[in-house]
Amino acid sequence: MDLQKLHASDSDSFVGFAESRQGGRAENQDSYGFAQTRRGFLLTVCDGMGGGPGGKTASSIAVQEILAGVSEAAEDEEIPNILIKAVRRANMAIIDRGNEMPALRGMGSTATVLLLNERAAYVAHVGDSRIYQFRGGRKVFRTFDHSMVFDLVKQKVITEEQARLSAQSNVITRALGIQPDVEVDVAELPYERGDRFMLCSDGIHGSMPEAELIKMIAHRKQALGALVDNLATTVDNMGCNQGGGHDNLTIAVIETKKNSILKQPMSIKTKLMLSVLTGIALCSLVLNVLQLSSKNDDEPLKLKEEIKQLKTANDSIEQMAGKSRDTLIIYKKVVSDNKSVQETVDKELKKLKENKQ
Protein backbone atom coordinates (compact mmCIF):
# COMPACT_ATOMS: atom_id res chain seq x y z
CA MET A 1 0.00 0.00 0.00
CA ASP A 2 1.39 3.41 -0.97
CA LEU A 3 2.14 6.20 1.47
CA GLN A 4 -1.09 7.68 2.80
CA LYS A 5 -1.66 10.94 4.64
CA LEU A 6 -3.79 10.59 7.77
CA HIS A 7 -6.66 13.02 7.35
CA ALA A 8 -8.46 14.51 10.35
CA SER A 9 -10.99 17.29 10.92
CA ASP A 10 -8.60 18.95 13.38
CA SER A 11 -5.62 19.25 11.05
CA ASP A 12 -4.09 22.01 13.21
CA SER A 13 -3.35 19.53 15.99
CA PHE A 14 -1.11 17.06 14.15
CA VAL A 15 0.21 15.74 10.87
CA GLY A 16 0.49 12.03 10.10
CA PHE A 17 1.36 9.46 7.44
CA ALA A 18 1.11 5.67 7.14
CA GLU A 19 2.45 3.01 4.80
CA SER A 20 2.13 -0.77 4.59
CA ARG A 21 4.17 -3.13 2.37
CA GLN A 22 4.10 -6.81 1.59
CA GLY A 23 7.82 -7.32 2.16
CA GLY A 24 9.06 -10.72 1.05
CA ARG A 25 5.89 -12.64 1.92
CA ALA A 26 3.22 -14.10 -0.35
CA GLU A 27 0.64 -11.57 0.90
CA ASN A 28 0.42 -8.60 3.23
CA GLN A 29 -1.31 -9.70 6.42
CA ASP A 30 -0.90 -6.30 8.10
CA SER A 31 -3.79 -3.83 8.19
CA TYR A 32 -4.23 -0.29 9.45
CA GLY A 33 -7.06 2.21 9.66
CA PHE A 34 -7.95 5.61 11.05
CA ALA A 35 -11.00 7.74 11.75
CA GLN A 36 -12.03 11.04 13.31
CA THR A 37 -14.31 10.20 16.25
CA ARG A 38 -16.14 12.27 18.86
CA ARG A 39 -13.42 11.41 21.34
CA GLY A 40 -10.46 12.31 19.11
CA PHE A 41 -8.44 11.02 16.18
CA LEU A 42 -8.17 7.23 16.15
CA LEU A 43 -5.40 5.18 14.53
CA THR A 44 -4.82 1.44 14.65
CA VAL A 45 -2.22 -0.96 13.20
CA CYS A 46 -2.78 -4.74 13.35
CA ASP A 47 -0.58 -7.65 12.26
CA GLY A 48 -2.46 -10.80 11.29
CA MET A 49 -1.39 -14.41 11.66
CA GLY A 50 -2.78 -17.68 10.34
CA GLY A 51 -2.48 -19.95 7.33
CA GLY A 52 -3.96 -19.10 3.94
CA PRO A 53 -6.22 -16.04 4.05
CA GLY A 54 -6.56 -16.19 7.83
CA GLY A 55 -3.96 -13.59 8.79
CA LYS A 56 -5.24 -10.86 6.48
CA THR A 57 -8.83 -11.59 7.45
CA ALA A 58 -8.02 -11.39 11.15
CA SER A 59 -6.15 -8.09 10.93
CA SER A 60 -8.84 -6.56 8.71
CA ILE A 61 -11.57 -7.58 11.15
CA ALA A 62 -9.53 -6.19 14.02
CA VAL A 63 -9.15 -2.78 12.35
CA GLN A 64 -12.84 -2.57 11.38
CA GLU A 65 -14.12 -3.56 14.81
CA ILE A 66 -11.74 -1.29 16.74
CA LEU A 67 -12.75 1.72 14.63
CA ALA A 68 -16.43 0.86 15.03
CA GLY A 69 -16.14 0.15 18.75
CA VAL A 70 -14.61 3.54 19.52
CA SER A 71 -16.92 5.44 17.16
CA GLU A 72 -20.03 3.89 18.70
CA ALA A 73 -18.97 4.29 22.35
CA ALA A 74 -21.16 6.19 24.81
CA GLU A 75 -20.34 9.87 25.21
CA ASP A 76 -19.82 9.66 28.98
CA GLU A 77 -17.58 6.57 28.99
CA GLU A 78 -13.93 6.85 30.00
CA ILE A 79 -11.55 6.56 27.05
CA PRO A 80 -9.35 3.76 28.51
CA ASN A 81 -12.49 1.64 28.94
CA ILE A 82 -13.61 2.50 25.41
CA LEU A 83 -10.31 1.25 23.98
CA ILE A 84 -10.37 -1.94 26.05
CA LYS A 85 -13.93 -2.72 24.96
CA ALA A 86 -13.14 -1.97 21.30
CA VAL A 87 -10.15 -4.33 21.29
CA ARG A 88 -12.15 -7.05 23.05
CA ARG A 89 -14.95 -6.55 20.53
CA ALA A 90 -12.40 -7.17 17.77
CA ASN A 91 -11.19 -10.28 19.60
CA MET A 92 -14.67 -11.82 19.72
CA ALA A 93 -15.39 -10.86 16.11
CA ILE A 94 -12.29 -12.77 14.96
CA ILE A 95 -13.27 -15.82 17.03
CA ASP A 96 -16.86 -15.71 15.71
CA ARG A 97 -15.67 -15.53 12.09
CA GLY A 98 -13.38 -18.50 12.66
CA ASN A 99 -16.27 -20.51 14.12
CA GLU A 100 -18.40 -19.65 11.10
CA MET A 101 -15.69 -20.58 8.59
CA PRO A 102 -13.59 -23.63 9.59
CA ALA A 103 -10.87 -22.69 7.07
CA LEU A 104 -10.19 -19.54 9.11
CA ARG A 105 -10.29 -21.17 12.54
CA GLY A 106 -7.19 -20.34 14.60
CA MET A 107 -6.45 -17.05 12.86
CA GLY A 108 -5.36 -14.16 15.04
CA SER A 109 -3.97 -10.66 15.09
CA THR A 110 -1.98 -8.20 17.16
CA ALA A 111 -3.47 -4.76 17.85
CA THR A 112 -2.06 -1.31 18.52
CA VAL A 113 -4.41 1.62 19.05
CA LEU A 114 -3.78 5.36 19.46
CA LEU A 115 -6.51 7.87 20.29
CA LEU A 116 -5.27 11.45 20.22
CA ASN A 117 -7.24 14.44 21.50
CA GLU A 118 -6.47 17.80 23.08
CA ARG A 119 -6.31 16.32 26.58
CA ALA A 120 -3.87 13.44 26.02
CA ALA A 121 -2.79 10.49 23.91
CA TYR A 122 -4.40 7.16 24.83
CA VAL A 123 -2.76 3.93 23.74
CA ALA A 124 -3.77 0.28 23.88
CA HIS A 125 -2.04 -2.84 22.61
CA VAL A 126 -2.09 -6.62 22.46
CA GLY A 127 0.78 -8.68 20.99
CA ASP A 128 4.17 -7.60 19.65
CA SER A 129 3.24 -4.72 17.37
CA ARG A 130 4.44 -1.54 19.06
CA ILE A 131 3.59 2.05 19.90
CA TYR A 132 6.43 4.52 20.45
CA GLN A 133 6.48 8.13 21.62
CA PHE A 134 9.53 10.21 20.68
CA ARG A 135 10.55 13.66 21.91
CA GLY A 136 13.62 15.61 20.93
CA GLY A 137 15.24 12.62 19.27
CA ARG A 138 14.74 10.23 22.17
CA LYS A 139 12.23 7.58 23.21
CA VAL A 140 9.93 8.64 26.07
CA PHE A 141 7.43 5.76 25.85
CA ARG A 142 7.16 2.36 24.26
CA THR A 143 4.78 -0.53 24.68
CA PHE A 144 6.23 -3.80 25.97
CA ASP A 145 5.86 -6.80 23.64
CA HIS A 146 3.60 -9.64 24.69
CA SER A 147 6.05 -12.27 23.51
CA MET A 148 8.05 -15.19 24.82
CA VAL A 149 11.41 -13.46 24.35
CA PHE A 150 10.25 -10.25 26.01
CA ASP A 151 9.12 -12.23 29.02
CA LEU A 152 12.78 -13.27 29.25
CA VAL A 153 13.82 -9.62 28.88
CA LYS A 154 11.51 -8.71 31.76
CA GLN A 155 13.20 -11.40 33.85
CA LYS A 156 16.61 -9.98 32.79
CA VAL A 157 17.62 -13.32 31.29
CA ILE A 158 18.39 -11.77 27.88
CA THR A 159 18.72 -8.23 26.48
CA GLU A 160 16.26 -6.60 24.11
CA GLU A 161 18.74 -6.87 21.27
CA GLN A 162 19.15 -10.60 21.96
CA ALA A 163 15.37 -10.89 21.95
CA ARG A 164 15.17 -9.13 18.57
CA LEU A 165 17.69 -11.54 17.04
CA SER A 166 16.21 -14.67 18.61
CA ALA A 167 14.69 -17.37 16.40
CA GLN A 168 11.69 -17.31 18.78
CA SER A 169 11.14 -13.56 18.45
CA ASN A 170 7.83 -14.11 16.62
CA VAL A 171 6.31 -16.31 19.35
CA ILE A 172 3.73 -14.08 21.01
CA THR A 173 1.96 -14.76 24.30
CA ARG A 174 -1.09 -12.60 23.75
CA ALA A 175 -3.18 -11.99 20.62
CA LEU A 176 -6.70 -11.38 19.35
CA GLY A 177 -8.69 -14.39 18.19
CA ILE A 178 -7.15 -17.00 20.48
CA GLN A 179 -9.18 -16.88 23.71
CA PRO A 180 -12.58 -15.27 24.47
CA ASP A 181 -10.99 -13.18 27.23
CA VAL A 182 -7.99 -11.04 26.27
CA GLU A 183 -6.02 -8.70 28.51
CA VAL A 184 -5.44 -5.26 26.96
CA ASP A 185 -2.65 -2.94 28.11
CA VAL A 186 -3.68 0.73 28.14
CA ALA A 187 -1.95 4.00 29.03
CA GLU A 188 -2.72 7.73 29.12
CA LEU A 189 0.20 9.88 27.92
CA PRO A 190 0.83 13.64 27.95
CA TYR A 191 2.46 15.03 24.84
CA GLU A 192 4.28 18.17 23.75
CA ARG A 193 4.41 20.04 20.46
CA GLY A 194 6.75 18.16 18.12
CA ASP A 195 6.32 14.76 19.76
CA ARG A 196 6.03 11.81 17.39
CA PHE A 197 3.91 8.71 17.94
CA MET A 198 4.78 5.68 15.86
CA LEU A 199 2.65 2.55 15.48
CA CYS A 200 4.37 -0.32 13.70
CA SER A 201 4.31 -4.06 13.13
CA ASP A 202 7.31 -6.23 14.04
CA GLY A 203 8.38 -6.12 10.41
CA ILE A 204 9.56 -2.58 11.19
CA HIS A 205 10.89 -2.71 14.76
CA GLY A 206 12.41 -6.16 14.33
CA SER A 207 14.49 -5.14 11.32
CA MET A 208 17.21 -3.16 13.13
CA PRO A 209 18.52 -2.29 16.60
CA GLU A 210 16.17 0.10 18.36
CA ALA A 211 18.78 2.87 18.58
CA GLU A 212 19.01 2.93 14.77
CA LEU A 213 15.23 2.97 14.42
CA ILE A 214 14.95 5.91 16.82
CA LYS A 215 17.65 7.80 14.95
CA MET A 216 15.80 7.35 11.66
CA ILE A 217 12.33 8.28 12.91
CA ALA A 218 13.57 11.30 14.90
CA HIS A 219 15.28 12.83 11.84
CA ARG A 220 14.09 16.46 11.71
CA LYS A 221 15.51 17.67 8.42
CA GLN A 222 13.11 15.54 6.39
CA ALA A 223 9.39 16.10 5.80
CA LEU A 224 7.37 13.57 7.79
CA GLY A 225 5.80 11.92 4.75
CA ALA A 226 9.17 11.43 3.09
CA LEU A 227 10.61 10.11 6.35
CA VAL A 228 7.89 7.45 6.69
CA ASP A 229 8.29 6.40 3.06
CA ASN A 230 12.09 6.28 3.32
CA LEU A 231 11.96 4.18 6.50
CA ALA A 232 9.63 1.66 4.84
CA THR A 233 11.91 1.58 1.77
CA THR A 234 15.02 1.12 3.92
CA VAL A 235 13.50 -1.81 5.82
CA ASP A 236 12.18 -3.39 2.63
CA ASN A 237 15.57 -3.09 0.92
CA MET A 238 17.33 -4.55 3.96
CA GLY A 239 15.10 -7.61 3.73
CA CYS A 240 15.72 -8.01 0.01
CA ASN A 241 19.48 -7.68 0.47
CA GLN A 242 19.39 -10.40 3.12
CA GLY A 243 17.78 -12.89 0.77
CA GLY A 244 14.14 -11.87 0.80
CA GLY A 245 11.33 -13.64 2.58
CA HIS A 246 11.17 -10.79 5.10
CA ASP A 247 8.05 -9.91 7.05
CA ASN A 248 5.26 -7.54 6.07
CA LEU A 249 5.99 -4.03 7.29
CA THR A 250 3.56 -1.35 8.40
CA ILE A 251 4.30 2.03 9.94
CA ALA A 252 2.15 5.01 10.92
CA VAL A 253 3.60 8.20 12.41
CA ILE A 254 1.84 11.22 13.89
CA GLU A 255 3.62 14.44 14.85
CA THR A 256 1.78 16.75 17.26
CA LYS A 257 1.52 20.51 16.71
CA LYS A 258 0.28 21.45 20.19
CA ASN A 259 0.83 20.55 23.83
CA SER A 260 -1.70 18.31 25.55
CA ILE A 261 -3.80 19.57 28.46
CA LEU A 262 -2.46 16.69 30.52
CA LYS A 263 1.02 17.57 31.78
CA GLN A 264 4.01 15.39 32.52
CA PRO A 265 4.16 14.42 36.22
CA MET A 266 7.04 15.93 38.14
CA SER A 267 10.02 13.59 38.46
CA ILE A 268 11.72 12.76 41.77
CA LYS A 269 14.78 14.73 40.64
CA THR A 270 12.63 17.76 39.92
CA LYS A 271 10.91 17.52 43.29
CA LEU A 272 14.28 17.42 45.06
CA MET A 273 15.47 20.48 43.14
CA LEU A 274 12.24 22.26 44.00
CA SER A 275 12.69 21.48 47.68
CA VAL A 276 16.23 22.87 47.64
CA LEU A 277 15.25 26.09 45.88
CA THR A 278 12.24 26.63 48.10
CA GLY A 279 14.37 25.98 51.19
CA ILE A 280 16.90 28.59 50.08
CA ALA A 281 14.16 31.14 49.54
CA LEU A 282 12.55 30.47 52.92
CA CYS A 283 15.85 30.58 54.81
CA SER A 284 16.80 33.91 53.22
CA LEU A 285 13.51 35.54 54.19
CA VAL A 286 13.35 34.07 57.70
CA LEU A 287 16.88 35.25 58.48
CA ASN A 288 15.92 38.75 57.44
CA VAL A 289 12.88 38.68 59.73
CA LEU A 290 15.04 37.57 62.65
CA GLN A 291 17.56 40.32 61.96
CA LEU A 292 14.76 42.86 61.79
CA SER A 293 13.57 42.08 65.32
CA SER A 294 16.92 43.17 66.82
CA LYS A 295 17.81 46.20 64.68
CA ASN A 296 16.57 49.72 63.94
CA ASP A 297 13.75 51.12 61.86
CA ASP A 298 15.83 51.07 58.69
CA GLU A 299 15.64 47.26 58.50
CA PRO A 300 12.19 47.08 56.83
CA LEU A 301 13.68 48.87 53.84
CA LYS A 302 16.61 46.45 53.78
CA LEU A 303 14.19 43.53 53.97
CA LYS A 304 12.22 44.87 51.03
CA GLU A 305 15.47 45.16 49.09
CA GLU A 306 16.34 41.54 49.96
CA ILE A 307 12.97 40.39 48.68
CA LYS A 308 13.54 42.34 45.47
CA GLN A 309 16.94 40.70 45.05
CA LEU A 310 15.41 37.27 45.64
CA LYS A 311 12.84 37.89 42.92
CA THR A 312 15.63 38.95 40.56
CA ALA A 313 17.46 35.72 41.33
CA ASN A 314 14.29 33.74 40.60
CA ASP A 315 13.97 35.56 37.25
CA SER A 316 17.48 34.38 36.38
CA ILE A 317 16.35 30.81 37.03
CA GLU A 318 13.80 31.15 34.25
CA GLN A 319 16.40 32.59 31.86
CA MET A 320 18.84 29.75 32.58
CA ALA A 321 16.05 27.23 32.19
CA GLY A 322 15.64 27.95 28.50
CA LYS A 323 13.45 25.19 27.13
CA SER A 324 13.86 22.89 30.12
CA ARG A 325 10.30 22.02 31.13
CA ASP A 326 11.21 20.66 34.55
CA THR A 327 13.26 23.72 35.52
CA LEU A 328 10.45 26.03 34.49
CA ILE A 329 8.08 24.08 36.72
CA ILE A 330 10.54 24.59 39.58
CA TYR A 331 10.81 28.30 38.86
CA LYS A 332 7.06 28.85 38.82
CA LYS A 333 6.63 26.93 42.06
CA VAL A 334 9.40 28.89 43.84
CA VAL A 335 7.94 32.22 42.72
CA SER A 336 4.53 31.12 43.95
CA ASP A 337 5.97 30.11 47.32
CA ASN A 338 7.90 33.37 47.61
CA LYS A 339 4.72 35.38 47.15
CA SER A 340 3.09 33.58 50.05
CA VAL A 341 6.21 34.04 52.15
CA GLN A 342 6.32 37.73 51.30
CA GLU A 343 2.76 38.14 52.57
CA THR A 344 3.85 36.62 55.89
CA VAL A 345 6.84 38.96 56.07
CA ASP A 346 4.65 41.99 55.38
CA LYS A 347 2.39 41.00 58.27
CA GLU A 348 5.39 40.67 60.58
CA LEU A 349 6.66 44.10 59.53
CA LYS A 350 3.29 45.60 60.33
CA LYS A 351 3.28 44.00 63.78
CA LEU A 352 6.79 45.28 64.54
CA LYS A 353 5.87 48.83 63.55
CA GLU A 354 2.76 48.73 65.73
CA ASN A 355 4.80 47.47 68.71
CA LYS A 356 7.40 50.25 68.31
CA GLN A 357 4.67 52.89 68.26
Side-chain angles (χ1 to χ4, degrees), residues 167-238:
Q168 286 76 42
S169 61
N170 62 343
V171 180
I172 60 177
T173 57
R174 205 185 299 181
L176 306 186
I178 308 305
Q179 297 291 337
D181 186 24
V182 62
E183 183 179 355
V184 184
D185 288 355
V186 294
E188 180 186 54
L189 306 171
Y191 60 84
E192 297 180 4
R193 180 180 179 181
D195 281 8
R196 287 177 176 173
F197 290 91
M198 179 175 75
L199 284 66
C200 63
S201 61
D202 64 333
I204 292 288
H205 70 72
S207 66
M208 66 184 76
E210 188 174 73
E212 294 181 18
L213 180 63
I214 293 173
K215 184 177 180 180
M216 291 189 67
I217 205 64
H219 187 52
R220 291 283 170 179
K221 294 182 180 180
Q222 215 172 30
L224 190 62
L227 184 149
V228 170
D229 189 54
N230 286 345
L231 177 56
T233 298
T234 298
V235 173
D236 207 4
N237 288 341
M238 287 172 58

Side-chain angles (χ1 to χ4, degrees), residues 33-301:
F34 57 92
Q36 183 68 47
T37 74
R38 292 177 298 175
R39 311 308 292 272
F41 182 77
L42 179 66
L43 173 65
T44 179
V45 169
C46 301
D47 181 358
M49 54 191 179
K56 185 60 178 180
T57 302
S59 67
S60 297
I61 291 173
V63 167
Q64 294 167 9
E65 295 298 329
I66 288 169
L67 295 180
V70 175
S71 298
E72 297 169 10
E75 189 70 34
D76 59 347
E77 193 165 6
E78 295 292 331
I79 291 178
N81 288 337
I82 291 175
L83 297 185
I84 291 172
K85 287 183 177 180
V87 174
R88 288 178 174 170
R89 167 176 168 164
N91 179 57
M92 288 308 303
I94 293 171
I95 291 175
D96 290 343
R97 180 69 65 84
N99 289 335
E100 293 169 2
M101 302 179 66
L104 299 177
R105 195 166 295 163
M107 65 181 177
S109 178
T110 68
T112 57
V113 187
L114 169 70
L115 193 149
L116 189 70
N117 60 28
E118 62 178 7
R119 171 174 166 72
Y122 300 85
V123 300
H125 91 289
V126 172
D128 65 349
S129 295
R130 291 182 182 176
I131 303 174
Y132 284 85
Q133 182 182 6
F134 303 108
R135 179 179 302 149
R138 62 188 179 89
K139 176 182 68 178
V140 295
F141 172 84
R142 189 204 67 199
T143 53
F144 200 85
D145 298 356
H146 301 136
S147 68
M148 186 178 73
V149 291
F150 258 66
D151 284 345
L152 296 177
V153 171
K154 187 182 295 184
Q155 299 168 28
K156 298 183 178 179
V157 176
I158 61 174
T159 66
E160 290 193 11
E161 181 61 9
Q162 287 173 328
R164 184 183 75 85
L165 297 173
S166 170
Q168 286 76 42
S169 61
N170 62 343
V171 180
I172 60 177
T173 57
R174 205 185 299 181
L176 306 186
I178 308 305
Q179 297 291 337
D181 186 24
V182 62
E183 183 179 355
V184 184
D185 288 355
V186 294
E188 180 186 54
L189 306 171
Y191 60 84
E192 297 180 4
R193 180 180 179 181
D195 281 8
R196 287 177 176 173
F197 290 91
M198 179 175 75
L199 284 66
C200 63
S201 61
D202 64 333
I204 292 288
H205 70 72
S207 66
M208 66 184 76
E210 188 174 73
E212 294 181 18
L213 180 63
I214 293 173
K215 184 177 180 180
M216 291 189 67
I217 205 64
H219 187 52
R220 291 283 170 179
K221 294 182 180 180
Q222 215 172 30
L224 190 62
L227 184 149
V228 170
D229 189 54
N230 286 345
L231 177 56
T233 298
T234 298
V235 173
D236 207 4
N237 288 341
M238 287 172 58
C240 292
N241 293 336
Q242 293 169 5
H246 53 292
D247 202 357
N248 310 141
L249 47 121
T250 301
I251 177 175
V253 180
I254 283 180
E255 181 174 311
T256 57
K257 296 182 180 180
K258 298 179 180 179
N259 294 340
S260 64
I261 295 174
L262 181 67
K263 302 305 177 187
Q264 196 77 30
M266 194 179 297
S267 67
I268 295 175
K269 180 180 179 180
T270 300
K271 290 179 181 178
L272 288 173
M273 292 175 66
L274 173 60
S275 298
V276 171
L277 289 174
T278 304
I280 292 171
L282 288 172
C283 288
S284 175
L285 291 171
V286 169
L287 284 173
N288 279 305
V289 172
L290 292 174
Q291 290 173 358
L292 177 64
S293 64
S294 61
K295 295 186 178 181
N296 57 40
D297 291 341
D298 292 334
E299 288 302 320
L301 294 176

Side-chain angles (χ1 to χ4, degrees), residues 305-335:
E305 183 61 28
E306 288 288 338
I307 294 172
K308 183 179 178 181
Q309 291 175 3
L310 183 59
K311 287 182 177 179
T312 301
N314 286 334
D315 289 341
S316 69
I317 293 175
E318 183 176 26
Q319 292 173 1
M320 288 186 294
K323 296 182 179 180
S324 174
R325 179 182 176 87
D326 288 345
T327 310
L328 285 175
I329 293 173
I330 295 170
Y331 163 74
K332 292 174 183 178
K333 176 63 176 172
V334 170
V335 169

